[in-house]
Amino acid sequence: MPGIGLGTWMSTRRADLQIAITAALEFGYRHFDTAFIYQNEKIIGDTLKDWFCCKRVKREDIFLTTKLPIAGLHEDRVESSIRQSLENLKMDYVDLYLIHFPVGSSVANSRTPLNQLKLEMSDHNAVWKIMEQQVEESRTKAIGLCNFTKKKIEKILNNCKIKPACLQIESHVFLQQKELVDFCQQNNIIVIGFSPLGNPGYNKFLKSIGKDGIQLPNGFENDIIKGIAEKCKKTPGQVMLRYLIQRNIVPIPKSTNPKRIKENIEVFDFELDSDDLKKLEGLDLGEEGRILDFNFFSKQMRESPEFPFPKKRKESI
């Protein structure tokens, strides 16, 4: 897996995403992260296919991740879900297939509001066995988890034939999840960090589904991060990404801006010293730093015993 990737959540405009992926490929990205629920697999597949046809890159040069949707979190729907994603992506296989969320919903169409999804209890071990079959049948090279807690990962580890290769979680200087990261690394599970720069677009997303925005931590304006950036002759964003890389976390920053995409990959030519690391470690806010807590799901789903996050913010749905 390349040490940095391009995240694509909330990137659904074809022209913008095609420009972003093209720019990323030109700047050296080979790791792309999507999901069925992002509704952009077809755009990503079309764009990559154009590059393959022009022989500018080979399929084996690309590391492509997609995810089992929450409505697919049932042993009877895993295979049909990955087949649909492969059809969307125009690929014979993906490099990594992740369970997107530990709470499943009954089958819904793409127009079903998130706050109206109906809970369907899932057997994670039964689902994992079918995930393992997808590796055995060459639809994916590796399988892993998203948004799972240590306890939930342990249940999989205690019953699996193929261990989870990766855990994808929200990870940035304000939400460091040290215990969970240490646990994964001790068990040879690679940690992938989404929203590594915070998530400036999240309030726009909340507004689009009728929810109030929230106060988001802003690393670009943080004095400690800005001071380290000035010392290193880098940007605050590059400092935040470098911090994760030096913790052996693979960041997948999302951007559709070619200038920012280029900036985000220029993080392998400098190193944070021990003093920098200590200062950045001190910025951890724990759960108060979490941006994406899935509070936009229905009350029924949020009250599931499998829901992974503590309630933190006032409900507005």
Side-chain angles (χ1 to χ4, degrees):
M1 178 191 292
I4 194 168
L6 183 74
T8 64
W9 183 45
M10 296 189 290
S11 296
T12 56
R13 287 172 54 90
R14 176 172 286 271
D16 291 346
L17 187 52
Q18 286 178 325
I19 289 170
I21 294 170
T22 298
L25 287 163
E26 288 174 345
F27 296 139
Y29 286 77
R30 294 297 181 262
H31 178 180
F32 298 90
D33 181 273
T34 184
F36 179 82
I37 200 171
Y38 298 171
Q39 298 182 359
N40 60 17
E41 289 177 325
K42 290 183 179 180
I43 303 170
I44 292 169
D46 287 344
T47 309
L48 291 175
K49 206 72 173 178
D50 287 344
W51 276 64
F52 299 157
C53 289
C54 295
K55 298 184 178 179
R56 298 182 72 181
V57 293
K58 299 176 182 177
R59 170 64 186 94
E60 55 266 32
D61 296 332
I62 299 298
F63 191 96
L64 185 59
T65 300
T66 193
K67 307 177 187 78
L68 178 72
I70 56 174
L73 193 64
H74 188 281
E75 57 267 31
D76 293 339
R77 299 198 290 272
V78 172
E79 184 172 327
S80 61
S81 295
I82 191 172
R83 284 182 179 275
Q84 181 61 65
S85 285
L86 290 173
E87 181 181 331
N88 292 343
L89 291 162
K90 297 181 175 62
M91 301 288 170
D92 296 325
Y93 69 93
V94 289
D95 298 273
L96 180 62
Y97 195 56
L98 304 175
I99 296 178
H100 204 158
F101 202 70
V103 181
S105 76
S106 56
V107 176
N109 63 51
S110 60
R111 296 180 298 278
T112 302
L114 294 169
N115 64 330
Q116 293 179 20
L117 292 173
K118 297 187 183 301
L119 174 69
E120 181 179 82
M121 295 303 295
S122 305
D123 181 337
H124 290 165
N125 286 327
V127 169
W128 190 256
K129 288 186 185 303
I130 309 302
M131 293 282 286
E132 291 173 331
Q133 288 180 15
Q134 307 317 301
V135 178
E136 293 164 354
E137 295 174 17
S138 300
R139 295 185 189 96
T140 182
K141 289 191 172 184
I143 48 179
L145 306 165
C146 272
N147 301 299
F148 271 57
T149 62
K150 176 183 173 182
K151 184 176 180 180
K152 290 176 173 55
I153 298 168
E154 285 176 326
K155 286 178 65 176
I156 299 289
L157 289 174
N158 290 335
N159 292 278
C160 67
K161 181 167 59 174
I162 299 174
K163 288 176 58 175
C166 303
L167 173 69
Q168 188 175 124
I169 53 173
E170 180 179 337
S171 182
H172 46 78
V173 292
F174 302 110
L175 179 69
Q176 300 187 20
Q177 306 201 71
K178 297 168 189 171
E179 181 181 351
L180 181 56
V181 170
D182 287 346
F183 169 78
C184 287
Q185 293 176 344
Q186 289 163 9
N187 284 277
N188 296 317
I189 297 171
I190 295 170
V191 178
I192 304 168
F194 69 78
S195 297
L197 303 174
N199 196 322
Y202 186 53
N203 279 339
K204 184 178 179 181
F205 166 73
L206 290 177
K207 186 176 180 181
S208 75
I209 60 171
K211 293 200 71 169
D212 296 331
I214 60 171
Q215 185 65 41
L216 298 175
N218 188 344
F220 294 94
E221 296 299 327
N222 181 274
D223 287 340
I224 291 174
I225 296 173
K226 287 167 67 176
I228 294 171
E230 184 176 351
K231 184 186 81 169
C232 295
K233 295 182 172 54
K234 288 289 181 177
T235 67
Q238 289 169 327
V239 168
M240 287 188 278
L241 293 173
R242 183 68 204 180
Y243 179 60
L244 294 186
I245 289 167
Q246 287 187 221
R247 293 180 64 211
N248 294 317
I249 296 171
V250 178
I252 48 170
K254 177 262 178 183
S255 180
T256 55
N257 182 318
K259 180 180 178 182
R260 181 61 60 83
I261 290 169
K262 182 176 186 290
E263 177 185 302
N264 288 344
I265 202 172
E266 294 176 339
V267 291
F268 297 101
D269 58 352
F270 78 109
E271 191 164 307
L272 302 170
D273 62 30
S274 58
D275 185 52
D276 297 332
L277 295 174
K278 187 174 181 180
K279 288 178 180 177
L280 293 169
E281 185 178 341
L283 295 177
D284 189 14
L285 299 175
E287 280 300 316
E288 289 302 312
R290 186 180 297 279
I291 297 168
L292 189 63
D293 62 3
F294 292 83
N295 254 4
F296 46 79
F297 277 172
S298 66
K299 183 178 180 182
Q300 185 188 40
M301 292 190 67
R302 295 196 310 273
E303 291 181 348
S304 164
E306 299 291 356
F307 194 77
F309 310 129
K311 291 184 179 179
K312 176 168 68 73
R313 295 193 284 268
K314 182 180 178 181
E315 310 287 353
S316 59
I317 283 186

